[in-house]
Amino acid sequence: MTSSPALDPGRLAKLREALLAASYTADGCLDLLGPTGYAALARSEAVPALRATRGGSSLETLVRLFLLQQPVPYAAAAAALPVEDCLMDGWLTRDGESVRATVDVRPYANEVAGLPSADAWVVSDLGCAVGGAGGIASGETARGVARKDLVLGVGGASTTLANLAVRRPVRAALDLGSGSGVQALHAARHAQRVTATDLNPRALHFTRLTLALSGFENVEVAEGSLFEPVADRTFDLIVSNPPFVISPGSRFVYRDGGMAGDDLCRNLVRGAAAHLEPGGYCHLLANWQHVKGEDWHDRLAGWVAGTGLDAWVVQREVQDVAQYAELWLRDGGDHRGPGPDYQARYDEWLDTFEAAGVEGIGFGWITLRAGGAARPTVRIEEWPHPVEQPLGPHIESWFARQDFLRAHDDAALLAARYVLADEVVQEQVGPPGAEDPEHVILRHNRGMRRATKVDTVGAGFVGVCDGTLTAGEIVDAIAHLLGEDRVVLRDRVPESLRLLTEQGFVEPVL
């Protein structure tokens, strides 16, 4: 394993105290750099942050050292943190009268729905976090570390997954493919015990560093691929930001799964059922192939079929094969190399896709739940629109509504009471001055932020949905007002009521 900082609990505690004393936290850095400097850093532009850190305070020194990866005077470092301990354990290296960080130590707001935000730090390789000032170097080695072994820090994918997870007190959680430990960091706040696994032993060491520096002791690590390290163990929560890139090889452990096509993600889905406790959730990010002559919905449904799990799959975007290849060739630094080498690698990607009949690559999230139903609910949809984060509470509510709908036939639906969900608004569409609108649109400003068209009956129904009357009583009243046959209307309403409930516009009173 390539060298990385030593893990000494006592000295890590002293380092954490120094970081907190200097306000080297997510809020502290935002206050120092300001919105402009912070946003520029996320674009790997360091100049605004360098300008904001010229004062020499302990916080400014730490930002320059760990975020901007600049050398700082030994004396300044000694005033900000236990510098000799950091040199001894390999967090810093000394060059004359200056010291330089050997790793990226990034302040992180460890937020879990229902709990106050907590200060944490994510440890990763230099230049491997979003906003890393140096950027990942090209070639097969980066700053003395083999590219295949690099450990990435906080990125858009990791924060997306953290926001998707259902957060409730649980006994055991699994972070499969932990990397620098971002998911384990969140899970450690609401799980009694967290197990973090990874194929890369270096990543497991970084996970230990992240969790120990952030003050957690309830995390164990295990080396191996997919579910192999946890054998027959079961968990209440499984989260995975796996190496889901569909590539022609396995050059980089952090991104390439080393299996043909999208088999790695399929195997994760297929294997989850054996490792989930009853009622447990599994959340993962994934890529999947769009194959010529095959409906991608059917492909994903095939992954879930026979597992006994409820599933909600959301496709967020689709890239054509050329876009996809270019994205990951840039990630590998191949665009910086000689032209013929870049073209050869590009050809290799396109040849692989062509041979498999792949026309595009989908990206999205998959949520699985061990609901125990004889006929599990499987929803596969495309939703490229903005959503509210964190989405975890809304995902949990969605699965609860599926249980309700599964347990209620049409008569039972009409016998139940409902309330209008928070922040649902009605929009009327039609020519200006018209007496009646052409369309009535219900728009939900929470969760998935859906919109749906309803008729006069639907608009009237949600308008009086306050939990006082049953749905059937409301329908009868609407039938009387409109002069319609109540029996006919009662037969027609359950279909739309199921849709409004499933999408969260109305919520059953349980």
Side-chain angles (χ1 to χ4, degrees):
M1 182 176 70
T2 308
S3 63
S4 52
L7 199 162
D8 182 287
R11 291 197 287 268
L12 275 172
K14 289 170 60 178
L15 175 57
R16 181 170 63 253
E17 291 170 5
L19 299 180
L20 287 170
S23 295
Y24 186 65
T25 62
D27 288 343
C29 290
L30 179 58
D31 289 343
L32 173 66
L33 301 179
T36 300
Y38 215 72
L41 193 59
R43 301 189 300 272
S44 296
E45 294 291 346
V47 173
L50 287 169
R51 291 171 59 86
T53 55
R54 294 180 292 193
S57 70
S58 291
L59 177 56
E60 289 166 311
T61 296
L62 293 174
V63 169
R64 283 183 169 246
L65 191 62
F66 289 121
L67 283 191
L68 304 180
Q69 289 133 36
Q70 299 292 309
V72 303
Y74 176 92
L81 74 173
V83 67
E84 286 301 321
D85 286 351
C86 291
L87 287 167
M88 182 187 309
D89 285 344
W91 295 87
L92 303 176
T93 183
R94 185 168 184 175
D95 181 15
E97 294 304 311
S98 297
V99 295
R100 183 185 289 271
T102 62
V103 291
D104 186 303
V105 179
R106 189 151 302 246
Y108 186 70
N110 189 1
E111 296 180 345
V112 169
L115 297 175
S117 180
D119 292 318
W121 297 268
V122 176
V123 185
S124 65
D125 276 311
L126 293 173
C128 291
V130 170
I136 301 177
S138 61
E140 297 305 316
T141 61
R143 303 174 190 257
V145 179
R147 281 295 307 269
K148 67 181 182 64
D149 293 329
L150 283 174
V151 179
L152 271 60
V154 182
S158 53
T159 54
T160 293
L161 180 59
N163 282 321
L164 291 175
V166 171
R167 304 296 180 185
R168 55 184 179 175
V170 296
R171 177 189 61 84
L174 171 65
D175 177 5
L176 193 155
S178 64
S180 56
V182 176
Q183 306 309 319
L185 198 57
H186 286 274
R189 296 199 65 199
H190 65 101
Q192 294 177 21
R193 192 70 188 167
V194 179
T195 300
T197 69
D198 205 290
L199 187 62
N200 181 1
R202 194 161 183 275
L204 293 177
H205 185 65
F206 274 84
T207 291
R208 291 190 190 97
L209 292 172
T210 291
L211 274 295
L213 182 59
S214 300
F216 291 100
E217 299 178 350
N218 60 334
V219 179
E220 62 180 356
V221 303
E223 181 182 344
S225 177
L226 301 182
F227 291 106
E228 291 174 3
V230 293
D232 57 354
R233 294 172 58 188
T234 56
F235 302 87
D236 306 290
L237 173 68
I238 299 172
V239 287
S240 182
N241 179 15
F244 54 68
V245 176
I246 301 171
S247 60
S250 54
R251 292 174 65 198
F252 307 129
V253 177
Y254 66 84
R255 73 169 204 195
D256 302 319
M259 297 184 185
D262 49 18
D263 279 356
L264 182 135
C265 293
R266 181 181 65 85
N267 289 342
L268 268 175
V269 171
R270 304 293 298 171
H275 297 279
L276 279 177
E277 284 284 326
Y281 283 87
C282 173
H283 305 272
L284 63 140
L285 304 182
N287 273 158
W288 45 80
Q289 297 176 147
H290 284 232
V291 179
K292 186 176 182 179
E294 178 185 56
D295 188 319
W296 73 270
H297 297 82
D298 295 338
R299 185 179 190 83
L300 272 294
W303 290 9
V304 181
T307 63
L309 300 174
D310 296 317
W312 186 10
V313 180
V314 180
Q315 180 169 274
R316 297 291 285 163
E317 65 174 333
V318 182
Q319 290 183 303
D320 66 45
V321 292
Q323 288 177 306
Y324 190 78
E326 291 161 13
L327 169 67
W328 296 110
L329 287 168
R330 287 194 298 272
D331 173 80
D334 296 294
H335 62 302
R336 300 189 184 111
D341 291 349
Y342 176 74
Q343 182 175 340
R345 289 196 189 276
Y346 202 151
D347 274 332
E348 183 184 15
W349 283 71
L350 296 186
D351 286 345
T352 301
F353 290 138
E354 185 177 338
V358 177
E359 298 179 318
I361 305 294
F363 167 78
W365 62 66
I366 300 173
T367 299
L368 308 168
R369 187 191 62 160
R375 298 181 63 182
T377 298
V378 178
R379 171 71 179 270
I380 300 172
E381 64 175 320
E382 185 165 18
W383 190 257
H385 312 294
V387 300
E388 179 190 21
Q389 296 288 15
L391 198 61
H394 302 285
I395 289 176
E396 187 171 21
S397 296
W398 185 88
F399 279 94
R401 293 195 300 273
Q402 307 319 303
D403 290 341
F404 171 83
L405 292 171
R406 196 158 44 200
H408 288 69
D409 60 16
D410 287 356
L413 280 181
L414 291 172
R417 291 175 168 81
Y418 303 83
V419 293
L420 184 66
D422 292 338
E423 295 195 39
V424 173
V425 297
Q426 177 178 301
E427 300 174 358
Q428 297 184 347
V429 180
E435 184 175 343
D436 296 312
E438 291 181 4
H439 305 294
V440 176
I441 305 294
L442 296 180
R443 189 174 300 280
H444 203 322
N445 291 322
R446 303 293 306 275
M448 296 291 282
R449 293 179 172 154
R450 297 187 187 275
T452 189
K453 185 168 68 174
V454 294
D455 59 14
T456 303
V457 174
F461 180 87
V462 298
V464 296
C465 234
D466 62 1
T468 304
L469 301 174
T470 67
E473 290 169 337
I474 295 174
V475 170
D476 290 347
I478 293 174
H480 178 73
L481 287 172
L482 297 179
E484 294 195 25
D485 187 310
R486 59 180 290 274
V487 175
V488 172
L489 203 56
R490 274 177 170 259
D491 286 341
R492 179 161 62 88
V493 162
E495 181 180 359
S496 59
L497 180 53
R498 285 186 181 277
L499 176 65
L500 292 173
T501 304
E502 191 269 338
Q503 295 192 344
F505 291 99
V506 297
E507 298 172 351
V509 178
L510 302 177

